[in-house]
Amino acid sequence: METLFKIKEKGSTVSREIIGGITTFLAMSYILAVNPGMLGSIEGMSFGGVFTATAISAAIATLIMAFFANMPVALASGMGLNAFFTYTVCGQMGCSPWFALTAVLLEGVLFIILSFFGVREAIINSIPSTMKKAVAVGIGLFIALIGLNNAGIVTSSNGTIIGFNAFDKSHISAIVAIIGLVITIVLYILKVPGAILIGIAATTVVGIPFGVTTIPENFKPVSVPQAPFLFRFDFSNVLTLKFFGVFFTFLFTDIFDTIGTLMGVAEQAKLIDEKGDIPNVKNALLADAVGTVAGACLGTSTVTSYVESSAGVAAGARTGLSSVVTAGFFVLALLFTPLFALVPSCATAPALIFVGFLMMQSVTSIKFSEITDGIPAFITILVMPFGYSISKGIAFGMIAYVISKVAGRKAKEISPVTWILAAVFVFALAIKAI
C-alpha cells in the first residue's frame, strides 16, 4: 500500500486516509439525492435508474483518480451541469435526455483526447501561481456559501441581497447546522482526529429530536438498485447548431470547473511541487474525462471533480487511498440507499462552512501589494461565491490578469497560453457559454 499510494511520503496515515475518504463521501453524498431528483423528473428517466448511474459513475471515476493520479479527489455528476442538462436542454430547449447524454458522451471523448495530449495539463500549468492561490480562496468562500445555503442559514427573501434567516422554529435546519458547526469547531481546536467526520455524524444525531433527521416507519437500511440507462444515445442531431451549443457549454464549463477544483484541493493539501504545478495532473484530468464518458454511458450528466473533496483533505486525506474509500462508499450506497439518505444536508453543511475557513488560509500568501497580481486575484475570489461559479471566477480572473499586466507594462509576464485563455474566455462570455 505504501508503494502504491506513498502514504508516509505525503505525511499521512492509513487511518487519516480512511477518515478523509469517509468525510469526502458524506460531504458530497447529497448528489445521490439531488441528481436523481433532477434528472429523474425528465420524461423517460427515473429516480432509481439515475441513482444507480450516479453512484456507479462516481465510483469508477474516483477509482481511476485514486490509482492513476494518487490524489484525494472524488468525482460525481456535477452540480450546475446537471441543472443545465435538466432545466435548459431538456426543459427550455425541449430536447430528449438521450440528445443531452450524447452531448455529454462526445464532450467526454474530446476531454480524453485533450487530456491524453496534455492540452488541459498545459492550461493548468500556464495559470500563474498567484491565481492558483486565489482560486483556492475563492473556492473556499464558494463552498462555504453552499454550506450556508444547504443549511437554510442564509436567504435572499428578507429584503436584502443576502442575509440570515431568523433562528426560530420555522428554520430548524439552520439551528441544527449551527450546533453542528460549533461541535466541529470545538473538536478541531481540541485536535480530535476525524473532527469533521464526527461533526457530520453528531449533527445527524442532533437532528433527530429537532425533526430534521427523519427515520421512516418500517425503516430498512438495505435496498435493491435499479438498472441504469445503458448506452441510450441519439446521434441524429449531432451536426446541428443546437447540438453544438449544448456540447460547447458542457465542454467549457466542465473543463474549468475541474481545473479550478484540482488547483484548489491540491493547494489546500499542499500537493503542489516547487514550481507550483500539480504532480500527476494529466492522469487526474484523464480520470475526470473517463468518468464523464462512463456517466454518459450509464445515463447521467457530466461527471467532474468535486470541490467537497477539500472536506476530506481537511480531515487528513493526502493520497488516492482516501479516494478508494470514497469510491467504496458509493458502491455501498447502491445497497444501503435508505441508510445514507438519513444524513440531512444541514449535517454536511458545517463541514463545508468549516472547510471554507481552512481554504481561506491561502489568502495570506497572495501578494496584494503587487497590484497587477492583487487585482486579478481579488476578482477571482470575488466572482466565485457571488457569481456562484468556479468557471466564471477563473474566466474573469484570467481576463483581469491580462488587463492588469498590460496596464502595468508587465506584458512579458503573460505566457502565450494565458493570452489564448483570456481570448477564449472573452469569446465564451460573449456567447454566454459559461
Side-chain angles (χ1 to χ4, degrees), residues 86-138:
T86 303
Y87 303 119
T88 301
V89 181
C90 297
Q92 296 175 3
M93 297 174 65
C95 301
S96 72
W98 325 125
F99 170 97
L101 286 173
T102 305
V104 174
L105 172 72
L106 296 182
E107 171 222 333
V109 171
L110 181 56
F111 265 3
I112 291 175
I113 296 172
L114 293 176
S115 299
F116 183 78
F117 286 102
V119 175
R120 296 172 78 186
E121 181 181 7
I123 292 174
I124 287 185
N125 292 339
S126 70
I127 296 177
S129 177
T130 297
M131 293 297 292
K132 289 177 180 177
K133 293 180 174 63
V135 167
V137 176

Side-chain angles (χ1 to χ4, degrees), residues 122-123 126-128 131 248 252 256 376 391-406 411 414-431 434:
I123 292 174
S126 70
I127 296 177
M131 293 297 292
F248 188 79
F252 207 83
F256 289 103
S391 57
K392 279 189 174 69
I394 296 175
F396 281 101
M398 292 300 288
I399 293 171
Y401 182 83
V402 169
I403 293 174
S404 298
K405 289 298 180 181
V406 170
I414 306 173
S415 69
V417 176
T418 301
W419 277 108
I420 295 171
L421 279 178
V424 171
F425 280 133
V426 170
F427 174 75
L429 289 169
I431 64 173
I434 58 174

Side-chain angles (χ1 to χ4, degrees), residues 58-69 73 75 287 320 323-325 327-328 331:
I60 291 172
T62 304
L63 284 173
I64 294 173
M65 180 70 76
F67 291 110
F68 286 90
V73 176
L75 303 91
S323 297
V324 173
V325 174
V331 174

Side-chain angles (χ1 to χ4, degrees), residues 301-351:
S301 53
T302 305
V303 173
T304 187
S305 300
Y306 256 62
V307 70
E308 284 83 357
S309 301
S310 54
V313 169
R318 293 295 181 274
T319 75
L321 178 58
S322 69
S323 297
V324 173
V325 174
T326 303
F329 272 88
F330 271 113
V331 174
L332 283 174
L334 291 169
L335 299 175
F336 298 95
T337 306
L339 185 62
F340 289 114
L342 290 178
V343 180
S345 59
C346 65
T348 58

Side-chain angles (χ1 to χ4, degrees), residues 32 35-37 39-41 44-57 77 98 101 224-230 232 295-301 334:
L32 292 174
N35 200 54
L39 272 63
S41 65
M45 304 189 85
S46 66
F47 184 96
V50 177
F51 182 96
T52 301
T54 303
I56 294 177
S57 60
S77 299
W98 325 125
L101 286 173
V224 178
Q226 293 185 22
F229 303 95
L230 290 172
R232 296 287 296 273
C297 291
L298 289 163
T300 186
S301 53
L334 291 169

